[in-house]
Amino acid sequence: MKYTLTNEEADILAHTSNTGRYVGDGHTLMALAKRGLLYDYGPQKLAGGAHYLVMSTEGREALSEWRAAQPKPPKVKRPSKQFQAWRDYCEANGRLSFPEFLKRLKEGQYAHCAV
């Protein structure tokens, strides 16, 4: 990895990416500007003397790297069509074991079930 970011730095870059700017003068913010990840337009009278910063190309790359390195959520496994049909059957007709449902489904007893 070319860039190393803390979660706080990544949050600042994400905010800047979403809004197009960041206004403030905190230590972390100024450190990002010093590293070249944000471009600092300096203190602005309109912002009460706070610094006005925008994303640099390096900042965009750093944020992309950080996002790519984050753990991905596990994929949600969807129930099979047979399992969903069994759940629908049980809801409408009362409890029946899943293996018994599959057996009857195979025998053609539940041709009306959407499988």
Side-chain angles (χ1 to χ4, degrees):
M1 276 178 60
K2 186 176 176 184
Y3 303 98
T4 304
L5 296 176
T6 65
N7 289 339
E8 180 183 10
E9 291 171 333
D11 288 342
I12 290 170
L13 291 177
H15 173 83
T16 308
S17 177
N18 292 337
T19 63
R21 66 199 162 286
Y22 201 103
V23 177
D25 54 10
H27 173 71
T28 305
L29 188 61
M30 295 295 103
L32 286 170
K34 191 172 184 175
R35 289 170 54 193
L37 302 180
L38 293 174
Y39 179 77
D40 185 5
Y41 282 96
Q44 300 294 310
K45 191 174 188 178
L46 186 62
H51 288 251
Y52 184 92
L53 302 104
V54 295
M55 183 80 77
S56 69
T57 304
E58 291 82 10
R60 197 164 309 284
E61 289 174 14
L63 183 59
S64 292
E65 275 187 15
W66 182 84
R67 285 178 172 160
Q70 298 309 299
K72 306 298 181 256
K75 290 188 178 185
V76 177
K77 186 176 179 183
R78 298 209 167 136
S80 67
K81 290 181 181 181
Q82 292 89 352
F83 187 76
Q84 188 59 48
W86 169 70
R87 288 173 57 185
D88 294 343
Y89 174 86
C90 288
E91 188 176 310
N93 302 303
R95 185 85 173 126
L96 177 68
S97 72
F98 186 56
E100 184 62 28
F101 177 80
L102 288 178
K103 179 181 168 192
R104 292 181 185 183
L105 188 64
K106 199 176 211 179
E107 293 170 353
Q109 291 182 22
Y110 300 135
H112 61 282
C113 290
V115 180

